[in-house]
Amino acid sequence: MRHHVTRRALLRGITAATAAVTLATGLTACGGDSDAATATSDAAGTVTVGRLSNGAAKETTLKVSEVKSISAKLPADLRKSGRLVIGSGTLPSGSPPLGFVGSDQKTLTGSEIDLARLVAAVFGLKPEVKRFTWENLFVGIDSGKVDVGFSNITDTEERKRKYEFASYRKDDLAFEAPKDSKFRFDGDYRTLAGTTVSVGAGTNQERILLEWKNRLEKEGKKLTVKYFQETNSTYLALSSGKIDAYFGPSPNLSYHVTQTSGTPQATRIAGQFSGAGATLQGLIAATAKKDSGLAEPLAEAINHLIDNGQYAKWLAAWNLSGEAVEKAEVNPPGLPLDNS
């Protein structure tokens, strides 16, 4: 299993980033979604990534223009609309470095949104971002309110029943625990016996954790799973000892480790696991409604960015180079139905 190095570059501007993330709660709409402000001052033929990131990324301007051989493969109604509606499941409190409110206290920034903007540029479309709670992101895709989700969505066999995927980043999960705790996860679910772990509802990591919980129960052992509505509450529970660990996406947790370094609430990465189970490398993917006709042009756009160097520069700007894939794939094998 790959080891994630602490991202020291994220230390700068952490206090401001925390404040900006907290302000994101004010953008929640009654229906669980909101329109997100996006930076629109890019010069023609360029996309600037890492903007308004409070030091979480290195602002980098990339040259990228429409590739007509790819945009021609988009559904006709999407081409006619002139916009790509991007869904982000980051309400209420944001999810840095993947998606969070930037230093202007209104614009959604983050690595996922930046890749979506690069893909929209390859399509020759204007990016339009809508923010949702995690559960409502999928409702937005189902209803057609969103064309594609770029929100750290794991490719799973269960999700393929309703969605189609274009992969773009490795998916590794992690356990985060207080720095001075004895909690360790070594890849064996039995080490979780007797612990209390928090996880996000409706996520692929929840599926994995609940499978481990069921296995432990059959062995006469207990794993307590706790849920919180937003990340700040999860970390309050972690620092107060109400939970032993938090199980979530490795980039988010590694980012938080840098935030707490040197504070009384210091945490550490206490173990990792693939987002697709023990025998398969998990993959994060752009997600569209099944049979929408978007997965193939999405994969082609991402592969164009890979081949021309913008993809590597995007990852480097966000300190995520270790998450790189060699190529984007349409509906690659994902987390099995049995979570194994």
Side-chain angles (χ1 to χ4, degrees):
M1 190 64 61
R2 201 163 40 84
H3 176 70
H4 284 261
V5 179
T6 299
R7 295 172 172 84
R8 297 182 183 278
L10 298 180
L11 284 169
R12 294 177 302 163
I14 290 304
T15 301
T18 303
V21 168
T22 302
L23 284 164
T25 58
L27 298 178
T28 308
C30 295
D33 64 86
S34 71
D35 292 331
T38 53
T40 57
S41 58
D42 290 322
T46 69
V47 173
T48 299
V49 300
R51 182 175 284 163
L52 303 171
S53 72
N54 295 295
K58 181 180 179 181
E59 187 172 312
T60 307
T61 299
L62 305 176
K63 292 183 178 180
V64 55
S65 301
E66 179 181 0
V67 180
K68 293 188 180 296
S69 61
I70 297 176
S71 61
K73 297 180 181 180
L74 292 168
D77 57 344
L78 184 59
R79 294 200 311 271
K80 186 177 180 181
S81 74
R83 60 178 185 162
L84 183 69
V85 182
I86 300 151
S88 173
T90 53
L91 286 176
S93 58
S95 185
L98 304 174
F100 59 103
V101 174
S103 56
D104 65 352
Q105 302 181 6
K106 65 179 181 179
T107 300
L108 187 66
T109 188
S111 60
E112 301 292 271
I113 299 306
D114 280 351
L115 179 61
R117 293 169 58 232
L118 288 166
V119 167
V122 174
F123 288 162
L125 300 176
K126 179 181 178 180
E128 180 179 309
V129 180
K130 291 185 178 293
R131 297 186 73 202
F132 300 83
T133 60
W134 177 255
E135 297 85 353
N136 282 331
L137 169 60
F138 295 94
V139 175
I141 297 172
D142 294 343
S143 67
K145 193 172 184 178
V146 166
D147 297 316
V148 57
F150 276 85
S151 195
N152 203 58
I153 302 171
T154 300
D155 166 30
T156 76
E157 295 306 311
E158 180 179 28
R159 287 173 179 162
K160 282 177 185 169
R161 294 169 173 171
K162 295 180 66 175
Y163 308 103
E164 56 187 40
F165 297 103
S167 59
Y168 60 84
R169 188 165 53 76
K170 290 180 181 177
D171 174 34
D172 283 327
L173 304 173
F175 286 89
E176 185 179 2
K179 187 175 182 179
D180 59 358
S181 79
K182 296 181 180 180
F183 178 88
R184 293 286 190 284
F185 177 76
D186 62 4
D188 185 346
Y189 69 92
R190 295 176 184 86
T191 62
L192 298 173
T195 65
T196 300
V197 179
S198 176
V199 72
T203 60
N204 124 7
Q205 54 265 28
E206 180 198 27
R207 285 186 57 198
I208 292 172
L209 191 64
L210 292 180
E211 176 65 24
W212 288 336
K213 182 177 186 289
N214 291 337
R215 292 183 188 181
L216 286 170
E217 287 177 350
K218 291 176 181 178
E219 298 171 8
K221 302 172 184 176
K222 185 178 182 181
L223 165 62
T224 301
V225 178
K226 292 281 189 181
Y227 298 93
F228 299 92
Q229 290 190 340
E230 46 88 27
T231 307
N232 291 337
S233 296
T234 301
Y235 283 124
L236 181 61
L238 189 66
S239 63
S240 65
K242 292 182 179 179
I243 58 176
D244 296 299
Y246 173 35
F247 187 40
S250 188
N252 300 106
L253 274 56
S254 295
Y255 176 91
H256 187 257
V257 167
T258 67
Q259 284 187 299
T260 62
S261 178
T263 74
Q265 292 78 39
T267 60
R268 59 181 170 78
I269 298 301
Q272 293 181 288
F273 197 76
S274 168
T279 61
L280 186 66
Q281 173 60 58
L283 293 170
I284 299 299
T287 304
K289 193 172 183 179
K290 189 173 182 178
D291 299 323
S292 65
L294 279 176
E296 289 194 13
L298 282 165
E300 287 193 32
I302 295 164
N303 282 325
H304 172 80
L305 295 168
I306 291 173
D307 293 342
N308 289 275
Q310 298 100 331
Y311 172 84
K313 291 177 181 178
W314 157 69
L315 284 173
W318 284 100
N319 302 290
L320 294 173
S321 296
E323 313 278 328
V325 295
E326 291 184 2
K327 67 175 182 177
E329 300 177 84
V330 174
N331 294 325
L335 177 70
L337 291 173
D338 64 0
N339 296 350
S340 62

